Amino acid sequence: MSNRVNDILVKKELDGSDIITLLSLTDEKDLEQLRAAAEAKLLAERGDAVFFRGLIEFSNICTADCYYCGIRSSNYAVGRYQLTEHQMVDAALWCAHEGYGSIVLQSGERRDAAFVDFVERVVGAIKAQSRSSVLPDGLGITLCVGEQCEESYRRFFAAGAHRYLLRIESTSETLFSRIHPPAQKLSDRISCLKVLKRIGYLVGTGVMIGLPGQKIEDLARDILFFRKQGIDMIGMGPYIVHSQTPLAAEAHRYGMAPDDAFILSLKMIAVTRLVLHNVNIAATTALQSIKHDGREWGLRYGANVVMPQLTPTEVRKEYSLYEGKPCVDENSEQCRSCLTRRIESVGRVVASNVWGDREC
Ligand code: SAH
């Protein structure tokens, strides 16, 4: 064990240079030391419970054209779909019945009136129909439908969504503008996060790790940004190439090898746990697309949330943000038992019938 690492790990508050040091660790003993510290912090702050958020990817129709994303608007090879209200309510009620406590409704980005009305209506329907003696406030509903105007965010909140996920993707101005078309601005995304917080949502954000041109210093600044913005939930994972996207060429030329992006993602989870203490951090599916037990590794490095897929199997493969997405042939029941086994294999327990929000 190196003294330098130990000196950082015992500190109450880490600064930018501590974060850079931890994210740069390569020695196996140092990494294990970091992992153990993050796991101990999680167990002390939140206990051993892992919270399920049933993920319903309800539409891949998208007006955004992000250079990294497989469902970007100019990828004409994708078969577009939109689930019906009935399909979404059914999937949500299945979750409630299975004791999940919370769901995430995610889709491509649309801001038209029909879409906003639809989301508002479905959130309301799920809320109303999921109340029961074990879940008196109904399912906890997280939305992940991109940048919207304040009024839409307020309508979704009033309908019953109380958490919102909007990844910042990267807080580096240079990197953000390299991976998005000019119409998409980092400053807009930061404003959205502030508006969401002001409305009263629990706000989640995150970044992609291992983007071409991304430096350790950029990632350290991302973590400091999470702290400064008072972020409640983190969802982040490795950037994975999708060949039908403009970023693929750059990624093949000077991108990071998947195994390196994987380790760096684990280090990001651990350091974020140490810096943000009691927040919810997801062990994301992208980790599992690089290593079959990737999500378990995420949990061992300080994550405490898992998002089992509830998207109907027949459309799952059309929600391909990146290549090699796991579990596309499985149904909700298979995902549930497989994930429960995975969680128990690392000595943790699945929490039932609770929202699992952090105490602010
Ligand atoms: N439209 C919604 C949800 C989009 S997809 C929104 O904007 O919030 C959810 C996340 O998937 C994105 O925020 C991005 O971080 C991640 N993602 C997209 N393409 C990816 C890729 N090629 N590799 C890894 N993660 C990716």
Side-chain angles (χ1 to χ4, degrees):
M1 160 203 326
S2 105
N3 285 338
R4 189 182 53 133
V5 178
N6 204 39
D7 289 348
I8 296 176
L9 293 177
V10 297
K11 282 188 176 183
K12 279 233 149 48
E13 191 146 306
L14 306 187
D15 62 23
S17 92
D18 298 328
I19 294 173
I20 291 171
T21 305
L22 294 178
L23 292 178
S24 310
L25 297 178
T26 51
D27 180 89
E28 260 185 38
K29 286 203 191 93
D30 289 341
L31 279 177
E32 174 52 23
Q33 170 96 345
L34 169 64
R35 187 204 68 75
E39 188 178 56
K41 171 70 113 192
L42 167 66
L43 295 177
E45 297 268 351
R46 299 294 304 272
D48 61 359
V50 173
F51 303 104
F52 273 167
R53 273 70 172 114
L55 175 63
I56 307 174
E57 296 148 331
F58 67 90
S59 172
N60 65 354
I61 302 171
C62 193
T63 56
D65 216 12
C66 309
Y67 297 159
Y68 45 86
C69 184
I71 64 165
R72 63 198 301 266
S73 57
S74 24
N75 185 2
Y76 300 109
V78 177
R80 304 284 167 174
Y81 73 88
Q82 155 96 48
L83 298 186
T84 62
E85 175 174 345
H86 184 72
Q87 283 174 307
M88 291 169 72
V89 172
D90 258 12
L93 294 182
W94 183 87
C95 271
H97 179 258
E98 296 291 314
Y100 281 17
S102 289
I103 54 164
V104 179
L105 304 180
Q106 189 182 92
S107 72
E109 201 156 298
R110 277 177 58 189
R111 282 184 274 274
D112 55 284
F115 178 80
V116 173
D117 290 349
F118 176 78
V119 173
E120 181 186 40
R121 194 169 64 244
V122 176
V123 167
I126 291 175
K127 212 32 168 182
Q129 294 181 47
S130 61
R131 290 184 211 276
S132 69
S133 55
V134 282
L135 271 181
D137 296 317
L139 285 164
I141 303 177
T142 309
L143 280 179
C144 181
V145 297
E147 292 174 31
Q148 303 285 342
C149 67
E150 176 159 355
E151 196 209 330
S152 302
Y153 284 150
R154 285 194 182 278
R155 284 172 57 191
F156 301 153
F157 189 75
H162 82 286
R163 311 186 189 105
Y164 203 99
L165 285 180
L166 181 67
R167 287 193 182 179
I168 198 75
E169 315 298 359
S170 170
T171 59
S172 150
E173 195 71 73
T174 323
L175 211 47
F176 189 95
S177 56
R178 207 183 292 156
I179 62 173
H180 294 104
Q184 287 171 250
K185 305 249 179 292
L186 176 61
S187 55
D188 289 343
R189 225 165 258 213
I190 295 175
S191 311
C192 284
L193 290 173
K194 289 187 172 150
V195 167
L196 289 163
K197 197 95 199 145
R198 196 167 63 230
I199 294 173
Y201 283 98
L202 290 173
V203 176
T205 194
V207 293
M208 282 179 289
I209 299 155
L211 288 163
Q214 191 177 42
K215 299 191 187 65
I216 290 291
E217 289 75 10
D218 297 322
L219 291 167
R221 275 191 286 270
D222 294 338
I223 294 179
L224 293 173
F225 171 86
F226 303 155
R227 177 163 73 190
K228 185 157 169 241
Q229 300 295 325
I231 292 300
D232 306 286
M233 316 176 295
I234 302 289
M236 60 187 172
Y239 160 65
I240 300 168
V241 177
H242 190 296
S243 59
Q244 291 152 351
T245 58
L247 203 61
E250 274 180 69
H252 286 132
R253 238 180 303 129
Y254 60 93
M256 190 177 268
D259 283 357
D260 294 339
F262 180 80
I263 299 285
L264 189 51
S265 299
L266 296 181
K267 288 191 272 187
M268 279 292 284
I269 290 176
V271 178
T272 302
R273 170 61 64 203
L274 294 173
V275 174
L276 299 191
H277 311 287
N278 66 351
V279 293
N280 279 336
I281 304 181
T284 54
T285 318
L287 286 171
Q288 196 182 327
S289 70
I290 298 186
K291 283 213 186 321
H292 72 95
D293 55 353
R295 285 199 267 198
E296 290 90 304
W297 280 103
L299 295 174
R300 297 187 67 234
Y301 271 75
N304 66 331
V305 166
V306 167
M307 293 156 72
Q309 278 200 62
L310 284 159
T311 312
T313 317
E314 60 273 20
V315 294
R316 253 184 220 196
K317 63 174 184 330
E318 299 295 359
Y319 202 86
S320 290
L321 309 175
Y322 47 81
E323 274 152 14
K325 181 179 170 182
C327 319
V328 287
D329 297 325
E330 290 179 7
N331 63 30
S332 306
E333 186 58 61
Q334 288 164 324
C335 278
R336 182 206 157 74
S337 47
C338 162
L339 281 171
T340 304
R341 237 181 310 111
R342 288 169 181 276
I343 289 163
E344 289 171 357
S345 78
V346 291
R348 307 274 283 282
V349 291
V350 178
S352 276
N353 293 315
V354 285
W355 284 5
D357 292 326
R358 73 159 174 160
E359 310 261 322
C360 295

